[in-house]
Amino acid sequence: MQVDGVTAGSGDDVLLALARMSMDASVRASGDVGGVSPVQLRALTALRQLGGANLAQLSDEIGITVSTGSRLVNRLVAAEWVDRAASPHNRREISLTLTENGKHLLRRYDRRRVTLLRECLERVPAERQEAVLDALAELARASPA
């Protein structure tokens, strides 16, 4: 049986559809919160998860080079979403942390993504929604991230 390009029982198709749905929600939400690029949002999210970082840690976390990370951080600082300061542990290093503006942006982004994903969930029959959430929670717990 096939529904919207997803064949029931085909694990790869289901996983790819889930990835597309999640990516679509993220891209749409980034546009809805002011056109912040997905890379900028990934960096802000990484800083939130790390509780702050230096440039090398942030670059490594999001899979970019330090020189690319430096340019990205310059844009994030200019937008007043990230504070850059000398590290208290090593004066040759900079410490990056989210500003209140950056935290607020991420809260808006997260709320919008949840709204978009909830709209998808609401298309599932009501009696199956809890089972879908339980299965997704199990999948999330299995994630290495």
Side-chain angles (χ1 to χ4, degrees):
M1 178 172 127
Q2 185 164 339
V3 179
D4 292 337
V6 178
T7 304
S10 171
D12 289 350
D13 288 346
V14 171
L15 291 172
L16 287 171
L18 181 62
R20 282 191 302 272
M21 182 181 65
S22 178
M23 181 61 76
D24 179 62
S26 293
V27 170
R28 288 176 56 199
S30 72
D32 293 346
V33 297
V36 183
S37 80
V39 173
Q40 289 172 324
L41 286 163
R42 176 67 186 111
L44 294 171
T45 300
L47 283 175
R48 177 176 60 190
Q49 289 171 329
L50 295 169
N54 64 36
L55 181 59
Q57 291 167 327
L58 176 62
S59 298
D60 185 56
E61 180 70 19
I62 64 174
I64 60 176
T65 65
V66 172
S67 62
T68 300
S70 180
R71 290 188 298 276
L72 174 60
V73 166
N74 287 342
R75 290 190 299 275
L76 298 175
V77 169
E80 298 182 352
W81 296 325
V82 169
D83 276 329
R84 176 175 37 206
S87 171
H89 308 294
N90 180 348
R91 63 183 194 167
R92 294 179 9 198
E93 225 176 61
I94 61 165
S95 177
L96 305 169
T97 56
L98 290 176
T99 63
E100 286 306 313
N101 287 341
K103 292 174 187 175
H104 177 71
L105 174 70
L106 283 178
R107 285 191 299 272
R108 286 180 38 230
Y109 173 64
D110 287 344
R111 281 193 306 267
R112 185 64 183 136
R113 286 190 303 167
V114 167
T115 297
L116 292 166
L117 291 170
R118 187 164 299 286
E119 289 170 4
C120 293
L121 179 64
E122 289 170 355
R123 292 185 199 117
V124 172
E127 66 274 5
R128 300 267 310 130
Q129 289 179 12
E130 189 173 336
V132 169
L133 286 173
D134 289 345
L136 289 172
E138 188 171 340
L139 182 63
R141 284 190 299 271
S143 172

